Amino acid sequence: MGGALLSFLLSYPEFILAAACFLAFAAIRRARDSRRLAAPVPVSWPVVGMLPFVVGHLGRLLDAAAAALPELGCTFMFRGPWLVGADFLVTCDPAVFRHCLVANFAGYDKGRDFAEMFDVVGDGLLVADAASWAAKRHLAASVFTSAAFRAFVLSTVERQTRRLLVPFLDHAGGGGGGGGVVELEDVFMRYSLDVSYTVAFAADLDSLSVASAAEPFPPFGEATRVTGEAVLFRHIAPAGWWKLMRWLNVGVERRLADAKAVLDEFVYREIANRRSRPAPAVAGGDDLLSMYMASPIDPAMSDQTLRDAAVGFMFAAKDLIAAALTWLFYMICTHPHVEAKILDELRSLHVAAGDARDAAPMVFDADELRAATYLHAAVLETLRLYPSAPFEEKEAVGDDVLPGGTAVRKGTRVVFCLYAMARAEGIWGGDCREFRPERWLTGSGGGKVRQEPSYKFAAFNAGPRSCLGKDLGLSNIKVAAAAIVYNFTVELVAGHVVEPKDSVVLHTKNGLMVRVKRRETA
Ligand code: HEM
């Protein structure tokens, strides 16, 4: 049948020409109609599909998607170039989030394509599906919810904030009366690497120390950075392209292979070191590797499982925390009244504690910050507008129909656009684009933090696959933010433009250049 059709079309090329003209005219009409809409929407052209929309908005795809999605009813099928199989469904509709991530969880997998793109985490939790995911999740939950591990994470956060972050900013801000200029996103990337490295391996990397901050990233940190870039490249480039590059071992794929070798060498050596110790000391600590090695759930855990857990943890936590801190400080710099309220709250906590730690600098711990509801609201509002993972993706396990009636065929990739959801008036109201921590607080005088359903505020994902480190991540952000706001003033360098980068983690395009100065009245 297919062969007969092909030979017919080849015998009468005018049919192909006529069909292409018809599709082109239809696309031109749709393109003209779309100009009447409030924002440009993608139009599917013959052969290239909606690729021109992507090319035309390169570098600002998230904002383009945020403007287009509400015009298209919040869900639409993105058509890639013909014959490349690059079509996918995009949505910012909370009802669709709820359906795919919560109600029909088993109907949507991460899928093999995602696992292959993110193969640096091996066969770990972040890419596993079905029964394999359930077993890994059970094991991970036993570690992440254990009191010993949580206490170790929180004490590490406080310790690294006190010994690395605050002294570094103090040093950077010591440049004359006007303070010093630093690129804060780089500071947060180093800080976050140092925290998660210690949490994973109970050793200090100190990439943010005053002495080493002028140095390039340590090889382990550089390997995680290169890997993030390569995963993004694999999301953007056609699969055949990056697979060919992988086969040829060139370009970004070659750098990825080198980065993986660095990660493997380090983690396997660490595992071997620990295995060579006498039995009672093999695990013994409260760091991630020790906790996994001592887990009664899988006493005969292979080295590869341990390696995948440790590397997966670095990717689950590190960059997401750094991105959240970066956008929080961009918001604080551009909303001085928010900074003033956070500072008031922290000062009242300090006074209420009545403690004797008047010797500056002050570092609050996670327990003390439990009462800092305004700071908590500012962090949530940052993650609403600038979710560290701006989109989530899944693959339909079978045919399905979404709320609203869109039919989904088996194998369709679904991209959940959190960044766009935050900017949809129908979902977050007319002031959705404003940074307003108050929207998270009940009552006019502050009070408690409001709960939003996870399918509407999906920064930590929704449903059974929700983030296992949500509370720890939030505490980490608050401890670092409180230490900075309380001890320093941070001002955006005049003329520096801060914009989101099209990326799997919401980094900035040009970093966050700020002037840091020791706060005189801290
Ligand atoms: C601002 C900080 C964080 C944010 C925004 C965040 C967000 C997320 C998101 C969106 C996912 C879903 C990923 C996916 O399925 O594609 C996730 C999963 C996960 N997160 Fe977090 N996370 C943060 C910090 C942390 C921390 C500190 C930890 C560990 C201590 C952690 C552990 C995990 C784990 C283990 C998963 C995998 C869950 C699963 O697949 O079953 N996260 N996180």
Side-chain angles (χ1 to χ4, degrees):
M1 169 72 182
L5 180 66
L6 188 66
S7 78
F8 171 80
L9 288 174
L10 290 176
S11 320
Y12 298 95
E14 56 270 36
F15 271 98
I16 302 180
L17 199 64
C21 286
F22 173 76
L23 290 171
F25 281 130
I28 289 168
R29 239 186 54 205
R30 277 198 304 276
R32 216 181 37 214
D33 291 350
S34 77
R35 282 201 209 109
R36 288 188 211 118
L37 299 172
V41 297
V43 170
S44 187
W45 296 92
V47 185
V48 292
M50 295 178 172
L51 205 57
F53 181 84
V54 174
V55 174
H57 292 91
L58 269 186
R60 51 201 161 95
L61 277 173
L62 284 170
D63 283 310
L69 270 161
E71 299 292 336
L72 297 164
C74 287
T75 300
F76 81 101
M77 184 59 105
F78 181 91
R79 304 279 175 202
W82 289 1
L83 308 175
V84 232
D87 294 2
F88 55 89
L89 194 100
V90 193
T91 183
C92 70
D93 180 349
V96 177
F97 274 55
R98 182 172 186 277
H99 175 82
C100 301
L101 302 176
V102 187
N104 190 15
F105 172 71
Y108 291 84
D109 269 356
K110 286 274 178 188
R112 292 325 300 159
D113 287 348
F114 181 80
E116 201 178 356
M117 283 192 271
F118 206 13
D119 59 0
V120 66
V121 296
D123 190 24
L125 173 69
L126 287 174
V127 295
D129 277 319
S132 162
W133 168 78
K136 291 183 168 82
R137 173 93 184 181
H138 178 55
L139 177 57
S142 75
V143 171
F144 288 116
T145 56
S146 85
F149 180 72
R150 296 177 70 81
F152 182 68
V153 174
L154 295 178
S155 66
T156 300
V157 165
E158 193 205 334
R159 184 172 150 268
Q160 302 296 46
T161 304
R162 192 183 292 284
R163 63 183 281 278
L164 297 177
L165 182 63
V166 170
F168 178 81
L169 292 178
D170 220 6
H171 174 79
V181 171
V182 286
E183 203 281 86
L184 207 49
E185 185 165 26
D186 180 64
V187 170
F188 289 144
M189 290 293 282
R190 288 170 183 265
Y191 163 75
S192 201
L193 172 65
D194 289 337
V195 169
S196 36
Y197 190 90
T198 306
V199 166
F201 307 114
D204 289 335
L205 198 59
D206 289 358
S207 69
L208 186 64
S209 67
V210 171
S212 62
E215 306 289 323
F217 247 20
F220 190 90
E222 183 59 12
T224 60
R225 197 190 59 73
V226 168
T227 306
E229 272 177 22
V231 172
L232 171 68
F233 176 75
R234 288 180 171 187
H235 271 81
I236 294 171
W241 186 355
W242 66 256
K243 283 182 189 174
L244 179 66
M245 287 177 73
R246 180 175 64 182
W247 187 72
L248 294 170
N249 196 25
V250 292
V252 67
E253 286 294 327
R254 185 194 174 129
R255 292 198 293 281
L256 175 63
D258 293 347
K260 273 194 216 157
V262 170
L263 295 178
D264 279 357
E265 195 205 324
F266 175 83
V267 180
Y268 281 128
R269 196 179 44 207
E270 187 62 28
I271 294 168
N273 275 343
R274 292 184 189 212
R275 289 218 194 273
S276 67
R277 290 179 201 160
V282 166
D286 296 328
D287 58 288
L288 185 100
L289 203 51
S290 302
M291 297 294 285
Y292 266 82
M293 289 179 98
S295 171
I297 295 176
D298 184 1
M301 202 175 294
S302 70
D303 285 5
Q304 197 205 319
T305 305
L306 284 168
R307 176 257 176 232
D308 293 348
V311 174
F313 163 77
M314 298 298 288
F315 283 98
K318 184 174 67 65
D319 290 8
L320 301 182
I321 289 174
L325 277 166
T326 304
W327 290 106
L328 174 62
F329 274 89
Y330 177 52
M331 291 295 99
I332 286 177
C333 287
T334 49
H335 298 78
H337 66 282
V338 171
E339 181 191 21
K341 282 188 177 180
I342 294 174
L343 189 59
D344 277 355
E345 185 174 66
L346 294 176
R347 283 181 174 153
S348 69
L349 283 184
H350 191 192
V351 171
D355 59 36
R357 293 173 300 168
D358 275 338
M362 171 79 190
V363 175
F364 296 87
D365 67 27
D367 268 350
E368 288 166 314
L369 291 173
R370 239 179 261 286
T373 47
Y374 191 83
L375 172 62
H376 193 88
V379 175
L380 296 182
E381 181 67 346
T382 302
L383 286 166
R384 182 186 75 84
L385 276 173
Y386 298 100
S388 303
F391 54 85
E392 165 74 13
E393 54 185 289
K394 285 283 178 78
E395 186 178 305
V397 173
D399 292 349
D400 192 18
V401 178
L402 299 178
T406 307
V408 173
R409 303 275 301 274
K410 177 179 174 183
T412 303
R413 290 206 72 70
V414 184
V415 174
F416 304 88
C417 191
L418 284 69
Y419 186 88
M421 194 199 279
R423 287 156 179 78
E425 289 191 8
I427 299 163
W428 282 97
D431 63 353
C432 58
R433 285 170 185 265
E434 283 171 37
F435 177 72
R436 232 172 43 78
E438 289 74 13
R439 83 174 76 238
W440 290 93
L441 297 170
T442 58
S444 53
K448 291 192 172 147
V449 176
R450 190 190 300 281
Q451 294 295 321
E452 289 288 358
S454 56
Y455 50 84
K456 181 179 169 193
F457 173 63
F460 294 97
N461 213 3
R465 218 164 174 150
S466 291
C467 175
L468 276 168
K470 178 180 174 184
D471 294 344
L472 293 172
L474 285 171
S475 291
N476 191 159
I477 295 164
K478 287 187 290 181
V479 168
I484 299 176
V485 172
Y486 193 85
N487 297 299
F488 303 96
T489 58
V490 178
E491 284 168 20
L492 204 57
V493 167
H496 178 65
V497 177
V498 181
E499 285 173 335
K501 191 167 165 179
D502 295 333
S503 171
V504 281
V505 173
L506 197 61
H507 294 300
T508 63
K509 269 185 204 161
N510 313 305
L512 181 63
M513 298 301 297
V514 296
R515 184 171 295 282
V516 181
K517 200 171 133 192
R518 186 69 179 268
R519 202 183 276 285
E520 278 166 16
T521 53

